[in-house]
Amino acid sequence: MEDSSEVLVCAAEYIKDRLYFVTLRTSGRPRSTANTHYFSIDDELVYENFYADFGPLNLAMLFRYCQKLNKKLKVS
């Protein structure tokens, strides 16, 4: 197993003790536990480029992400 100090790149707390955004340096995905739930949108919400750009997701993808996040926050 990799040293956690080498895997975690950045973490930001958005809702105290409830919602965090983390950037990881690993090809594997973390597993949820009894106290934590991890999810990724990497394979679900795909960026559609316009003339070889690399900008953010479009508003439709952002809306889908917000719906997904709201649903997850209501469950826990």
Side-chain angles (χ1 to χ4, degrees):
M1 178 152 180
E2 298 177 61
D3 180 18
S4 62
S5 64
E6 296 294 321
V7 174
L8 182 64
V9 175
C10 182
E13 182 179 45
Y14 287 96
I15 301 175
K16 185 155 179 58
D17 297 329
R18 187 145 188 243
L19 178 63
Y20 297 84
F21 175 84
V22 297
T23 305
L24 304 174
R25 182 181 297 124
T26 181
S27 58
R29 298 224 172 143
R31 295 181 186 203
S32 295
T33 66
N35 297 323
T36 59
H37 173 71
Y38 297 96
F39 75 98
S40 171
I41 60 164
D42 288 349
D43 298 329
E44 189 175 338
L45 304 179
V46 180
Y47 174 70
E48 297 174 15
N49 64 331
F50 177 77
Y51 194 68
D53 67 347
F54 55 87
L57 294 172
N58 63 38
L59 286 177
M61 295 295 152
L62 177 61
F63 180 74
R64 286 180 53 201
Y65 172 76
C66 290
Q67 286 181 313
K68 182 179 185 98
L69 182 59
N70 280 332
K71 186 176 180 180
K72 288 183 177 293
L73 288 172
K74 286 179 184 178
V75 169
S76 56

